[in-house]
Amino acid sequence: MPEDTQPTSTASPAASRRQFMGYAALLGSGAALVACSPARAMTPSQKQDIDILNYALTLEYLEAEFYAAFDTGAYAANLKNARAKEYAKELAAHEKAHVDALKATISKLGGTPVVKPTFDFSPLIGGRTVDDSLFLALAATLEPVGVRAYLGQVARLSNPELVAAAAAIHAVEANHVSGVQELRVGLGLNTAPTRQTDIAPQSASKPDSTAAADFDANYSPTPTALWKPLTMQQVLAIVSPVIKR
Protein backbone atom coordinates (compact mmCIF):
# COMPACT_ATOMS: atom_id res chain seq x y z
CA MET A 1 0.00 0.00 0.00
CA PRO A 2 1.48 3.41 -0.90
CA GLU A 3 2.65 5.35 2.10
CA ASP A 4 0.32 8.28 1.40
CA THR A 5 -2.75 6.02 1.50
CA GLN A 6 -2.11 4.34 4.85
CA PRO A 7 -4.94 4.49 7.37
CA THR A 8 -4.19 6.86 10.21
CA SER A 9 -4.98 6.86 13.91
CA THR A 10 -4.63 9.31 16.72
CA ALA A 11 -2.98 6.64 18.83
CA SER A 12 0.77 6.08 18.81
CA PRO A 13 1.41 3.09 16.54
CA ALA A 14 4.01 1.72 18.94
CA ALA A 15 1.64 2.14 21.86
CA SER A 16 -1.20 0.47 19.98
CA ARG A 17 0.95 -2.50 19.07
CA ARG A 18 2.33 -2.81 22.61
CA GLN A 19 -1.22 -2.77 23.94
CA PHE A 20 -2.22 -5.57 21.61
CA MET A 21 0.92 -7.55 22.40
CA GLY A 22 0.03 -7.24 26.05
CA TYR A 23 -3.09 -9.33 25.54
CA ALA A 24 -0.95 -12.43 25.07
CA ALA A 25 0.27 -12.06 28.65
CA LEU A 26 -3.30 -12.28 29.91
CA LEU A 27 -3.68 -15.98 29.19
CA GLY A 28 -4.58 -17.67 32.44
CA SER A 29 -3.88 -14.54 34.47
CA GLY A 30 -7.06 -12.48 34.79
CA ALA A 31 -5.00 -9.27 35.05
CA ALA A 32 -6.49 -6.20 33.38
CA LEU A 33 -4.47 -4.14 30.94
CA VAL A 34 -7.28 -1.85 29.86
CA ALA A 35 -8.58 1.12 31.78
CA CYS A 36 -11.81 0.42 33.66
CA SER A 37 -14.27 2.83 35.17
CA PRO A 38 -13.22 3.67 38.75
CA ALA A 39 -16.87 4.04 39.67
CA ARG A 40 -17.46 0.34 39.26
CA ALA A 41 -15.46 -2.31 41.09
CA MET A 42 -14.79 -5.38 38.97
CA THR A 43 -13.99 -8.95 39.78
CA PRO A 44 -10.99 -10.58 38.08
CA SER A 45 -13.39 -12.49 35.83
CA GLN A 46 -15.14 -9.30 34.75
CA LYS A 47 -11.81 -7.66 34.02
CA GLN A 48 -10.76 -10.68 31.98
CA ASP A 49 -13.99 -10.46 30.00
CA ILE A 50 -13.19 -6.85 29.11
CA ASP A 51 -9.65 -7.80 28.11
CA ILE A 52 -10.96 -10.50 25.79
CA LEU A 53 -13.51 -8.13 24.28
CA ASN A 54 -10.79 -5.54 23.60
CA TYR A 55 -8.66 -8.25 22.02
CA ALA A 56 -11.61 -9.13 19.76
CA LEU A 57 -12.20 -5.43 19.07
CA THR A 58 -8.63 -5.05 17.81
CA LEU A 59 -9.17 -7.90 15.36
CA GLU A 60 -12.47 -6.40 14.22
CA TYR A 61 -10.78 -3.03 13.70
CA LEU A 62 -8.31 -4.82 11.43
CA GLU A 63 -10.97 -6.59 9.39
CA ALA A 64 -13.14 -3.48 9.12
CA GLU A 65 -10.16 -1.45 7.91
CA PHE A 66 -9.22 -4.13 5.38
CA TYR A 67 -12.66 -4.32 3.76
CA ALA A 68 -13.15 -0.56 3.88
CA ALA A 69 -9.92 -0.15 1.90
CA PHE A 70 -11.48 -2.22 -0.91
CA ASP A 71 -14.97 -0.75 -0.56
CA THR A 72 -14.45 3.01 -0.42
CA GLY A 73 -10.74 3.37 0.32
CA ALA A 74 -7.40 3.24 -1.45
CA TYR A 75 -8.03 -0.04 -3.28
CA ALA A 76 -11.69 0.36 -4.23
CA ALA A 77 -10.85 1.22 -7.85
CA ASN A 78 -8.78 -1.97 -8.18
CA LEU A 79 -11.84 -4.20 -7.93
CA LYS A 80 -13.54 -4.84 -11.26
CA ASN A 81 -15.81 -7.81 -10.62
CA ALA A 82 -19.30 -6.77 -9.49
CA ARG A 83 -19.63 -9.59 -6.99
CA ALA A 84 -16.20 -8.89 -5.50
CA LYS A 85 -17.22 -5.26 -5.07
CA GLU A 86 -20.45 -6.30 -3.38
CA TYR A 87 -18.57 -8.62 -1.03
CA ALA A 88 -16.22 -5.79 -0.07
CA LYS A 89 -19.20 -3.55 0.66
CA GLU A 90 -21.18 -6.12 2.64
CA LEU A 91 -18.25 -7.43 4.66
CA ALA A 92 -17.07 -3.89 5.43
CA ALA A 93 -20.53 -3.18 6.85
CA HIS A 94 -20.54 -6.41 8.86
CA GLU A 95 -17.13 -5.76 10.40
CA LYS A 96 -18.06 -2.15 11.18
CA ALA A 97 -21.16 -3.47 12.97
CA HIS A 98 -18.95 -5.84 14.97
CA VAL A 99 -16.69 -2.93 15.95
CA ASP A 100 -19.65 -0.85 17.07
CA ALA A 101 -21.21 -3.72 19.02
CA LEU A 102 -17.99 -4.57 20.84
CA LYS A 103 -17.27 -0.93 21.72
CA ALA A 104 -20.79 -0.49 23.08
CA THR A 105 -20.56 -3.70 25.10
CA ILE A 106 -17.19 -2.82 26.59
CA SER A 107 -18.45 0.61 27.63
CA LYS A 108 -21.65 -0.86 29.06
CA LEU A 109 -19.58 -3.23 31.20
CA GLY A 110 -17.55 -0.32 32.59
CA GLY A 111 -14.45 -0.78 30.48
CA THR A 112 -12.70 1.46 27.98
CA PRO A 113 -12.62 0.32 24.34
CA VAL A 114 -9.08 -0.01 23.05
CA VAL A 115 -8.03 2.72 20.62
CA LYS A 116 -7.92 1.67 16.99
CA PRO A 117 -4.34 0.92 15.90
CA THR A 118 -2.78 2.09 12.65
CA PHE A 119 -2.78 -0.72 10.09
CA ASP A 120 -0.52 -1.22 7.08
CA PHE A 121 -1.55 -4.07 4.76
CA SER A 122 1.51 -3.81 2.51
CA PRO A 123 3.23 -6.79 4.23
CA LEU A 124 0.32 -8.95 3.05
CA ILE A 125 0.24 -7.44 -0.43
CA GLY A 126 3.96 -7.47 -1.08
CA GLY A 127 4.77 -6.72 -4.69
CA ARG A 128 1.62 -8.36 -6.05
CA THR A 129 -0.95 -6.64 -8.23
CA VAL A 130 -3.97 -5.51 -6.25
CA ASP A 131 -7.02 -6.90 -8.03
CA ASP A 132 -10.11 -9.03 -7.45
CA SER A 133 -8.04 -12.19 -7.15
CA LEU A 134 -5.70 -10.79 -4.52
CA PHE A 135 -8.54 -9.19 -2.55
CA LEU A 136 -10.42 -12.48 -2.30
CA ALA A 137 -7.26 -14.47 -1.51
CA LEU A 138 -6.42 -12.10 1.34
CA ALA A 139 -10.00 -12.26 2.60
CA ALA A 140 -9.78 -16.06 2.53
CA THR A 141 -6.64 -15.72 4.65
CA LEU A 142 -7.95 -13.21 7.18
CA GLU A 143 -11.43 -14.57 7.82
CA PRO A 144 -10.50 -17.99 9.27
CA VAL A 145 -8.07 -16.26 11.62
CA GLY A 146 -11.04 -14.39 13.07
CA VAL A 147 -13.10 -17.57 13.30
CA ARG A 148 -10.37 -19.42 15.15
CA ALA A 149 -9.48 -16.44 17.35
CA TYR A 150 -13.05 -16.25 18.71
CA LEU A 151 -13.08 -20.00 19.19
CA GLY A 152 -9.88 -19.75 21.20
CA GLN A 153 -11.35 -17.27 23.70
CA VAL A 154 -15.06 -18.01 24.06
CA ALA A 155 -14.54 -20.57 26.84
CA ARG A 156 -12.64 -17.97 28.88
CA LEU A 157 -15.60 -15.56 29.05
CA SER A 158 -17.38 -15.66 32.40
CA ASN A 159 -20.59 -13.88 31.38
CA PRO A 160 -23.07 -16.16 29.52
CA GLU A 161 -24.49 -13.17 27.65
CA LEU A 162 -21.02 -12.40 26.30
CA VAL A 163 -20.58 -16.01 25.23
CA ALA A 164 -23.79 -15.75 23.20
CA ALA A 165 -22.68 -12.43 21.67
CA ALA A 166 -19.25 -13.82 20.79
CA ALA A 167 -20.86 -16.90 19.26
CA ALA A 168 -23.08 -14.67 17.11
CA ILE A 169 -20.05 -12.82 15.70
CA HIS A 170 -18.12 -16.10 15.34
CA ALA A 171 -20.95 -17.49 13.20
CA VAL A 172 -20.87 -14.46 10.90
CA GLU A 173 -17.10 -14.76 10.48
CA ALA A 174 -17.57 -18.42 9.51
CA ASN A 175 -20.21 -17.32 7.00
CA HIS A 176 -17.64 -14.94 5.55
CA VAL A 177 -15.16 -17.78 5.12
CA SER A 178 -17.66 -19.87 3.17
CA GLY A 179 -18.97 -16.96 1.12
CA VAL A 180 -15.53 -15.77 0.06
CA GLN A 181 -14.42 -19.26 -0.90
CA GLU A 182 -17.64 -19.95 -2.79
CA LEU A 183 -17.04 -16.79 -4.82
CA ARG A 184 -13.43 -17.80 -5.44
CA VAL A 185 -14.64 -21.19 -6.69
CA GLY A 186 -17.18 -19.53 -8.98
CA LEU A 187 -14.52 -17.24 -10.44
CA GLY A 188 -12.06 -20.10 -10.95
CA LEU A 189 -9.63 -18.67 -8.38
CA ASN A 190 -9.69 -21.48 -5.82
CA THR A 191 -7.25 -24.21 -6.87
CA ALA A 192 -8.32 -26.67 -4.15
CA PRO A 193 -12.11 -26.30 -3.84
CA THR A 194 -12.53 -29.68 -2.10
CA ARG A 195 -9.64 -29.39 0.36
CA GLN A 196 -10.73 -30.08 3.91
CA THR A 197 -8.88 -28.31 6.71
CA ASP A 198 -9.52 -27.26 10.29
CA ILE A 199 -6.48 -24.96 10.41
CA ALA A 200 -7.06 -22.52 7.53
CA PRO A 201 -5.30 -20.36 6.54
CA GLN A 202 -2.37 -22.45 7.75
CA SER A 203 -1.17 -25.03 5.24
CA ALA A 204 -0.87 -28.79 5.44
CA SER A 205 2.87 -28.57 4.79
CA LYS A 206 3.50 -25.95 7.50
CA PRO A 207 0.57 -26.33 9.92
CA ASP A 208 2.25 -24.50 12.80
CA SER A 209 3.54 -21.51 10.86
CA THR A 210 2.12 -18.09 11.66
CA ALA A 211 3.82 -16.42 8.66
CA ALA A 212 1.49 -15.22 5.93
CA ALA A 213 3.94 -16.41 3.28
CA ASP A 214 3.32 -20.00 4.42
CA PHE A 215 -0.49 -19.80 4.33
CA ASP A 216 -2.72 -21.55 1.82
CA ALA A 217 -5.83 -19.58 0.79
CA ASN A 218 -7.21 -22.50 -1.21
CA TYR A 219 -9.66 -24.74 0.61
CA SER A 220 -13.29 -25.82 0.45
CA PRO A 221 -16.12 -23.35 1.10
CA THR A 222 -17.21 -25.92 3.71
CA PRO A 223 -13.73 -26.72 5.00
CA THR A 224 -14.24 -28.65 8.21
CA ALA A 225 -16.63 -30.24 10.67
CA LEU A 226 -14.76 -28.74 13.64
CA TRP A 227 -12.49 -25.69 13.54
CA LYS A 228 -9.26 -25.73 15.55
CA PRO A 229 -8.86 -22.68 17.83
CA LEU A 230 -5.96 -20.25 17.77
CA THR A 231 -4.37 -18.89 20.94
CA MET A 232 -3.81 -15.20 21.54
CA GLN A 233 -0.08 -15.70 20.98
CA GLN A 234 -0.69 -17.37 17.63
CA VAL A 235 -3.09 -14.65 16.49
CA LEU A 236 -0.63 -11.97 17.58
CA ALA A 237 2.12 -13.59 15.53
CA ILE A 238 -0.16 -13.66 12.49
CA VAL A 239 -1.49 -10.09 12.62
CA SER A 240 1.37 -8.13 14.18
CA PRO A 241 3.10 -7.51 10.81
CA VAL A 242 0.17 -5.34 9.70
CA ILE A 243 0.08 -3.29 12.92
CA LYS A 244 2.47 -0.42 12.27
CA ARG A 245 5.24 0.00 14.81
Side-chain angles (χ1 to χ4, degrees):
M1 181 180 290
E3 285 297 323
D4 61 351
T5 61
Q6 299 304 325
T8 59
S9 170
T10 56
S12 162
S16 296
R17 186 170 184 276
R18 283 197 302 271
Q19 189 169 29
F20 185 54
M21 291 178 68
Y23 294 135
L26 293 172
L27 289 173
S29 71
L33 294 186
V34 293
C36 296
S37 170
R40 179 177 179 179
M42 291 188 179
T43 67
S45 292
Q46 290 171 327
K47 292 177 180 178
Q48 179 167 282
D49 284 348
I50 298 235
D51 293 326
I52 293 171
L53 293 178
N54 264 320
Y55 161 75
L57 175 57
T58 302
L59 299 180
E60 296 294 347
Y61 277 141
L62 187 157
E63 291 185 329
E65 183 97 354
F66 171 78
Y67 289 113
F70 285 90
D71 177 29
T72 58
Y75 297 132
N78 295 75
L79 297 186
K80 306 303 180 184
N81 180 271
R83 293 187 68 196
K85 291 180 181 180
E86 186 62 24
Y87 270 50
K89 179 180 179 179
E90 290 180 355
L91 271 58
H94 288 180
E95 304 300 357
K96 175 62 165 55
H98 294 171
V99 167
D100 293 342
L102 285 168
K103 289 173 68 175
T105 300
I106 291 166
S107 297
K108 182 178 179 180
L109 293 175
T112 300
V114 66
V115 175
K116 177 183 174 182
T118 300
F119 297 109
D120 175 6
F121 296 110
S122 59
L124 295 180
I125 294 172
R128 294 176 290 179
T129 300
V130 178
D131 55 13
D132 300 296
S133 177
L134 181 60
F135 162 63
L136 293 171
L138 293 180
T141 297
L142 289 174
E143 288 296 344
V145 173
V147 171
R148 297 173 63 197
Y150 274 96
L151 188 58
Q153 297 304 312
V154 67
R156 299 182 61 238
L157 291 167
S158 65
N159 185 331
E161 292 183 4
L162 296 183
V163 173
I169 295 179
H170 172 269
V172 173
E173 301 295 350
N175 291 343
H176 290 174
V177 171
S178 295
V180 168
Q181 287 296 54
E182 190 66 37
L183 179 54
R184 293 185 73 237
V185 171
L187 296 176
L189 301 174
N190 189 335
T191 60
T194 62
R195 175 189 167 217
Q196 292 291 291
T197 176
D198 59 358
I199 60 169
Q202 292 167 306
S203 68
S205 61
K206 296 183 178 180
D208 298 320
S209 176
T210 54
D214 295 329
F215 291 166
D216 186 353
N218 298 299
Y219 51 87
S220 170
T222 53
T224 182
L226 299 168
W227 283 102
K228 185 176 181 180
L230 285 169
T231 66
M232 281 189 179
Q233 291 97 330
Q234 289 171 316
V235 173
L236 167 65
I238 291 170
V239 305
S240 61
V242 303
I243 299 179
K244 291 188 69 174
R245 295 170 174 78

